[in-house]
Amino acid sequence: MEDAPRGLRESLKRVAVTLKEADIPFALGGSYACWARGGPEPVHDVDFMLREEDVPRAVEVLAAAGLRPVDPPEDWLTKVFDGEVLVDLIHHPVGRAVTPQMLQRSSEMSVDSVRMPVMDATDWFEMTLLALEERYCDLARVLPMIRAMREQVDWDQVRRSTAASPFAEAALLVAERLNLIPPVDAAPVAARPGEIAASGGAVVSSGAAQRGGTKGGKGGGKAAADKHGGKAEGSNTGGANTGGANAEGANAEGANAEGANVEGSNAEGRAQEGIGLRIGKETGSPVPGEKWDVAGPSVLAGQPDVAGQPDVAGQSVLAGQPDVAGQPGLAGELDLAEADEYLAGELRERLAEDPRVAELGLEVVVAGGCILVEGEVATDVRRRAVVDVVAEAAPGRLVRNEVTIIGRVPVADETAKVETIS
Amino acid sequence: MMRIAAVGDIHLGTDSGGTFAPVVRGLAGRADVLLLAGDLTQHGLPAEAEVVAAEVAGAPVPVIAVLGNHDYHSNAEREITAILVAAGVTVLEGTGTVVDIDGARLGIAGVKGFGGGFAGASGTDFGEPLMKAFVRHTKEVATRLRYALAALDCDTRVALTHYAPIPDTLIGERAEIYPFLGSYHLAEAVDAGGAALALHGHAHAGSERGSTAGGVPVRNVARPVIGKPCALYAVDSGAAGERTRMATPSSAPSVDLAAPTAP
Ligand SMILES: [Fe+2]
Ligand SMILES: [Fe+2]
């Protein structure tokens, strides 16, 4: 067992070279593909991905090269033994056929100094996450792989194609909360400012309308689920943007069936809470009504009492309001005409430098005229100040404050865990 | 066994009174020493340091701290140090202290540290005066850490910094900002100084565990990283002695290093 990896690698290279010489298209898959892309080295398991029609010939050339084919009962792969080492030739991973396109997407990499096609990282995660199921959903195995390969992966694509799997969704949620992968792209929703403004008005108008907004939120949540294949983005303000967004969502992806599937359960349940928030961000936030805030007198005109309600006031952006100008730390407006990327960078610096927040670790995303702030701060006061600082620097922009407060856990529970350093 | 409680980046503000004191009190009987890995305050204000001082004043164990970049933000680091010292905290900056734990001597050497990056992707002492000053500052504090470790007369050495000595404990942070999060010169000092454990903070989105090239365990104890009020480590003084011998190829600092000047 000690030298298993060495034996595995020898077999891996033998099979790869044999297939290459026979001109059979293939890609290295399974945990060795992950290893080739920087992940942990597996101790059993060598997997190759082939088209089903190529499998008989692959078995033939491998047998000719001295490997021993076995015919397993499974209908999605076949196996060959190289001495003690078992090599899987997979043609239908997670029930999906290996396609020529998938093999074309793989990249030529040097694996233990033999060049061979290695499965594309995005395809690889789609399969790995779809393979998770009730009896096999150990995230402790998946997370190191995400850590190792995360920058090689199109995570939005993975989210879309795995949306039907609750286990995949859970894995992606954990990875996102650990900041291993980027959050769901908020841009598509943010790009519809007209709708957001309308719904924002509905939400802020009164306590009763908040309820109304909640109802509307169902639709918003659904729309987001369609668009993102079930990973409810929920940037909708719970307002009246159902129709357009729904249509757009339905057109956006070919994954309607999946989206619809999810919609019935998760997305709607979330939207019913009237949160309209991505679920991953809810837990740390003490204010349940976090939403896009619209800067502008029109929204707040009928709302003189907003400032008195801590929940709403902390969130609402009064960009350009005269009373804001008197606050400490005001460093003036930024040039809003400059590229989003620069604006995000400058806002990030503002948040670090402004004494009301002074947090260096906040992430700022500017897209489609909207500003999203994420990260952790120590107190609720600082969390609320995030909106003030951003609003002063970039008046008139939509601001979404997804900053959470660092959790406080009773000491007695946690200090029991002692790590022994030896 | 020596039981070390450690946390960094508590970032107390003037509105944070009462949040950390229960954590400190809860260490009675659970830890022998509390190490604070910098960023004790939010803006480096003396008023915030007073809050920190009040929170740790009744600590049931010795409290040893380094400052972080936040604690320098208002140019009041000396005043902050004085406030903490008055509350009984040992504040280290290029210095060390030894705590007697049932006859075993635990030595802690600390510096704030600085950025600069890690081997293969680091700033160099070249070019504009500002760039050179940046890198030289890192080298200087690393040298001070090395000397402070070497000067400890104890059974087990622990290095305490705010900035990270290795990139492993930064995983989770964006790679582009690693040079602002730490420097490999600190790891060199940890290895050369014969530390049994290195603790740091600063990288809020980093990872808890890693080790130096010399095999010294490194733990990122930034509050958001450990996900609990403080981390607890048990260090075996016997094993640490072996490590000390292993990790110290030359116990005397090499000749090309200038002796550190007083800060
Ligand atoms: Fe910090
Ligand atoms: Fe820091």
Side-chain angles (χ1 to χ4, degrees):
Chain A
M1 202 60 204
E2 279 300 315
D3 55 5
R6 187 189 296 266
L8 288 176
R9 281 194 229 165
E10 289 314 311
S11 300
L12 183 161
K13 290 190 279 189
R14 184 167 306 134
V15 171
V17 169
T18 308
L19 293 175
K20 253 169 51 172
E21 279 169 1
D23 258 330
I24 298 173
F26 73 98
L28 180 62
S31 30
Y32 261 106
C34 177
W35 178 67
R37 292 182 174 279
E41 173 148 23
V43 287
H44 46 82
D45 237 0
V46 177
D47 299 321
F48 286 94
M49 320 304 286
L50 296 97
R51 294 182 303 169
E52 188 166 22
E53 61 261 40
D54 290 328
V55 169
R57 206 156 60 84
V59 170
E60 201 179 298
V61 296
L62 290 170
L67 285 84
R68 185 163 51 88
V70 283
D71 202 9
E74 294 93 330
D75 60 359
W76 52 278
L77 84 172
T78 191
K79 296 167 187 277
V80 289
F81 273 104
D82 180 24
E84 296 287 283
V85 175
L86 183 62
V87 178
D88 288 342
L89 306 175
I90 300 173
H91 50 82
H92 272 81
V94 295
R96 299 177 176 188
V98 172
T99 61
Q101 290 80 9
M102 183 198 290
L103 296 179
Q104 266 160 26
R105 280 196 298 270
S106 62
S107 27
E108 277 277 331
M109 298 178 78
S110 173
V111 180
D112 209 13
S113 48
V114 172
R115 291 196 71 78
M116 66 183 79
V118 176
M119 209 176 154
D120 173 67
T122 302
D123 287 329
W124 191 90
F125 266 105
E126 286 177 26
M127 263 164 220
T128 303
L129 295 182
L130 287 174
L132 298 174
E133 42 120 313
E134 210 148 334
R135 286 160 301 277
Y136 174 79
C137 52
D138 183 1
L139 297 189
R141 283 170 45 92
V142 176
L143 292 173
M145 295 168 173
I146 294 179
R147 273 190 203 283
M149 292 167 67
R150 54 189 170 154
E151 29 352 61
Q152 305 169 46
V153 178
D154 177 350
W155 290 107
D156 282 328
Q157 170 61 29
V158 173
R159 283 187 177 103
R160 286 191 291 269
S161 56
T162 63
S165 161
F167 305 99
E169 188 180 13
L172 291 168
L173 169 63
V174 171
E176 189 183 319
R177 292 287 306 278
L178 293 173
N179 288 323
L180 301 182
I181 66 172
V184 178
D185 183 17
V189 178
R192 298 193 297 272
E195 291 165 7
I196 289 171
S199 60
V203 171
V204 191
S205 59
S206 76
Q210 281 248 8
R211 278 250 168 90
T214 304
K215 273 193 171 167
K218 266 191 195 177
K222 276 187 197 171
D226 283 348
K227 176 89 180 138
H228 294 281
K231 185 84 173 120
E233 162 53 30
S235 299
N236 308 275
T237 355
N241 55 351
T242 343
N246 227 336
E248 199 178 326
N251 292 340
E253 316 297 349
N256 283 336
E258 287 172 11
N261 212 346
V262 176
E263 175 188 309
S265 49
N266 306 342
E268 193 169 4
R270 274 170 232 170
Q272 268 169 343
E273 294 167 41
I275 295 174
L277 244 192
R278 191 170 52 243
I279 196 161
K281 299 294 174 186
E282 284 166 19
T283 32
S285 163
V287 182
E290 245 179 355
K291 53 187 75 78
W292 286 99
D293 294 294
V294 184
S298 61
V299 174
L300 296 151
Q303 264 314 94
D305 57 337
V306 160
Q309 301 173 2
D311 280 6
V312 184
Q315 296 300 306
S316 294
V317 182
L318 300 170
Q321 292 282 107
D323 59 328
V324 176
Q327 292 192 4
L330 181 71
E333 295 177 15
L334 296 174
D335 176 7
L336 297 184
E338 71 178 353
D340 285 351
E341 211 176 298
Y342 299 143
L343 182 59
E346 301 213 8
L347 287 172
R348 203 168 175 276
E349 283 172 30
R350 280 293 171 87
L351 290 168
E353 289 159 11
D354 193 290
R356 288 168 288 172
V357 179
E359 175 55 57
L360 277 65
L362 296 177
E363 284 295 324
V364 179
V365 180
V366 180
C370 304
I371 298 163
L372 168 71
V373 189
E374 292 183 304
E376 285 187 327
V377 295
T379 69
D380 192 39
V381 173
R382 286 177 212 165
R383 193 182 69 86
R384 289 156 189 251
V386 165
V387 174
D388 299 334
V389 172
V390 173
E392 288 159 25
R397 295 295 183 103
L398 298 168
V399 182
R400 178 166 170 152
N401 184 4
E402 285 211 354
V403 172
T404 58
I405 299 169
I406 295 169
R408 301 195 188 286
V409 189
V411 65
D413 298 350
E414 289 295 342
T415 42
K417 292 171 201 149
V418 180
E419 184 197 350
T420 301
I421 305 282
S422 57
Chain B
M1 279 287 179
M2 303 164 166
R3 298 168 303 169
I4 300 170
V7 63
D9 303 85
I10 55 176
H11 289 277
L12 299 190
T14 48
D15 53 352
S16 308
T19 56
F20 192 59
V23 176
V24 177
R25 278 198 302 273
L27 293 175
R30 297 170 180 275
D32 301 308
V33 64
L34 170 62
L35 306 188
L36 300 175
D39 278 1
L40 313 179
T41 67
Q42 183 68 346
H43 314 112
L45 296 170
E48 295 172 330
E50 298 281 7
V51 174
V52 178
E55 298 293 294
V56 301
V61 295
V63 181
I64 295 147
V66 293
L67 300 187
N69 56 319
H70 277 244
D71 306 316
Y72 276 68
H73 182 63
S74 302
N75 297 319
E77 62 274 7
R78 281 162 199 270
E79 202 178 330
I80 287 172
T81 301
I83 290 165
L84 295 174
V85 168
V89 179
T90 304
V91 180
L92 303 176
E93 180 52 45
T95 51
T97 185
V98 176
V99 181
D100 193 293
I101 299 168
D102 296 332
R105 291 162 305 158
L106 174 68
I108 301 117
V111 285
K112 173 179 62 62
F114 201 49
F118 299 90
S122 59
T124 45
D125 189 352
F126 182 88
E128 302 89 328
L130 278 174
M131 193 64 209
K132 285 188 280 208
F134 182 93
V135 174
R136 281 177 191 169
H137 179 59
T138 298
K139 288 184 174 172
E140 224 171 81
V141 293
T143 306
R144 291 220 296 272
L145 175 63
R146 179 175 174 170
Y147 273 81
L149 280 166
L152 290 169
D153 178 19
C154 62
D155 303 311
T156 301
R157 291 181 173 85
V158 172
L160 178 65
T161 60
H162 181 60
Y163 284 78
I166 58 168
D168 311 35
T169 47
L170 302 181
I171 290 170
E173 296 279 3
R174 290 174 60 167
E176 293 90 334
I177 66 167
Y178 280 17
F180 302 106
L181 298 178
S183 162
Y184 73 99
H185 293 300
L186 295 171
E188 288 180 318
V190 165
D191 283 350
L197 171 67
L199 300 171
H200 73 89
H202 191 46
H204 291 202
S207 316
E208 188 180 353
R209 295 169 188 207
S211 67
T212 66
V216 179
V218 177
R219 298 292 179 264
N220 177 356
V221 296
R223 174 66 181 78
V225 170
I226 57 176
K228 51 189 175 184
C230 68
L232 272 186
Y233 303 104
V235 182
D236 179 11
S237 48
E242 277 168 42
R243 183 186 304 286
T244 303
R245 282 194 298 279
M246 250 171 46
T248 315
S250 58
S251 58
S254 60
V255 283
D256 59 322
L257 283 170
T261 48

